[in-house]
Amino acid sequence: MIEVIDLHSTLGRQKVLDGVSLTVEKGEVLALIGKSGVGKSVLLKHVVALMKGERGRVLIGGEEISTAKGRKLERLRSRIGFLFQGGALFDSLTLFDNVAFPLREKTKMEEKEIRERVLYELEQVGLKDMEHKYPAELSGGMRKRAALARCMVTTPEIMLFDEPTTGLDPITAHSINELIKRTHDRACFTGIVVSHEIPDIFFLVDKVAMLHEGRIVAHGTPLDIMKSQHPIVRQFITGGRKEMEEMLEPIIKKLQEESRNKGKCAQERENEKV
């Protein structure tokens, strides 16, 4: 569904992406990890063609978005939802109008149907009966929930999450990760999540890729990454602390249990019935 091929990108004089290649299969969710400033958010922006690289290709469902223009670019972008770090809600609009915004701008949907769709998505993210509130009246976690509702109201095939738990306390961050997991089970989107929430993020995703010095240095299942002996991966997972090594084993055991019990998303189960 998402394919990045030999992508090179430079910001100023700094080489940010140096031949990145990455594939995310349909229905998969991939965690993109790595130190701050290595280009994880930059890679997301290339996937949605908000940035263009000097070399390489980005394909969405087999179609190249990196060179697309006009209606083709608009059509490909319409398949993608992007949850920005800060949520990017409009301060002057209520939650209802924020979530309704893409439907009013991009579709010819009747207002009655828009209302039904918006209220449904707000309920799905735990914001039932809060459609009249403004972003300034909400906590950080609630703003993230509202931003997710705005993304999902257009039923995207692909979701990109740029550090969705940044700035949140551990309890709220965990609840947002669980919400993303439930939303994927419901909608079965293909996703990339940029996150530093380790190991929590590993229980949310199917695959993990680590970006380091402009290249993907590790790619595999969460269990593969946790068991990796690659020095760069190991240092990142443990934070460079020896005492963390002793804490990895119970996490690995839990991931093994999760991988055995992991089911298909709701849409995949429904398709199998047809």
Side-chain angles (χ1 to χ4, degrees):
M1 177 60 78
I2 304 172
E3 192 172 3
V4 180
I5 306 168
D6 192 31
L7 185 61
H8 295 253
S9 184
T10 303
L11 294 178
R13 296 182 179 181
Q14 182 182 359
K15 187 82 169 182
V16 180
L17 303 178
D18 189 16
V20 169
S21 293
L22 186 66
T23 299
V24 186
E25 300 293 346
K26 185 176 181 180
E28 276 188 350
V29 179
L30 175 135
L32 187 61
I33 64 172
K35 293 188 297 184
S36 297
V38 297
K40 302 183 298 296
S41 297
V42 169
L43 180 53
L44 285 193
K45 289 176 181 177
H46 278 82
V47 171
V48 77
L50 290 175
M51 295 180 67
K52 305 283 187 179
E54 294 84 50
R55 198 165 86 233
R57 305 168 68 202
V58 180
L59 282 70
I60 301 297
E63 296 186 80
E64 189 162 357
I65 192 172
S66 45
T67 57
K69 297 179 181 179
R71 290 183 179 179
K72 181 179 180 181
L73 178 58
E74 186 176 339
R75 176 173 57 80
L76 289 173
R77 280 180 174 166
S78 71
R79 301 170 65 181
I80 304 171
F82 199 130
L83 186 63
F84 294 90
Q85 285 187 26
L89 297 174
F90 298 109
D91 292 336
S92 60
L93 299 182
T94 63
L95 286 194
F96 183 92
D97 289 329
N98 263 288
V99 178
F101 185 81
L103 296 179
R104 288 170 173 163
E105 288 292 307
K106 300 293 184 180
T107 75
K108 297 180 180 180
M109 196 176 290
E110 296 289 336
E111 196 64 26
K112 180 182 178 182
E113 189 178 352
I114 288 175
R115 180 171 181 79
E116 290 174 355
R117 182 84 67 87
V118 169
L119 294 180
Y120 172 77
E121 290 299 338
L122 285 173
E123 183 175 358
Q124 291 301 308
V125 299
L127 295 177
K128 184 179 180 180
D129 298 328
M130 301 188 72
E131 65 273 11
H132 60 285
K133 291 188 175 292
Y134 287 85
E137 301 177 270
L138 304 177
S139 65
M142 292 167 74
R143 285 195 292 272
K144 292 291 176 72
R145 289 172 180 270
L148 179 58
R150 185 175 62 183
C151 289
M152 297 309 301
V153 78
T154 59
T155 59
E157 298 173 58
I158 293 170
M159 273 299 303
L160 307 177
F161 301 88
D162 192 2
E163 298 192 33
T165 57
T166 293
L168 303 178
D169 64 82
I171 295 173
T172 304
H174 179 73
S175 73
I176 294 298
N177 282 334
E178 286 297 308
L179 175 60
I180 293 172
K181 188 174 183 178
R182 291 196 304 273
T183 304
H184 175 258
D185 182 65
R186 169 170 63 94
C188 211
F189 53 73
T190 302
I192 300 178
V193 186
V194 169
S195 179
H196 294 108
E197 296 289 334
I198 295 172
D200 285 6
I201 192 64
F202 288 178
F203 295 94
L204 167 68
V205 302
D206 304 290
K207 297 286 177 61
V208 180
M210 182 170 179
L211 188 62
H212 180 75
E213 295 184 351
R215 296 176 178 272
I216 300 296
V217 296
H219 180 266
T221 67
L223 191 57
D224 293 334
I225 299 302
M226 283 298 296
K227 295 170 72 173
S228 173
Q229 296 302 310
H230 191 297
I232 293 172
V233 177
R234 202 72 177 174
Q235 182 184 40
F236 184 77
I237 296 296
T238 62
R241 294 175 294 174
K242 290 184 178 180
E243 60 269 26
M244 285 297 295
E245 293 283 348
E246 299 177 2
M247 300 176 65
L248 295 185
E249 193 57 37
I251 297 171
I252 289 172
K253 287 182 179 179
K254 190 174 180 181
L255 280 171
Q256 287 172 330
E257 292 174 8
E258 288 276 329
S259 64
R260 285 194 295 266
N261 298 328
K262 187 173 178 59
K264 297 178 180 179
C265 63
Q267 188 59 52
E268 285 179 321
R269 294 193 297 269
E270 191 64 30
N271 290 342
E272 287 180 351
K273 295 178 183 178
V274 178

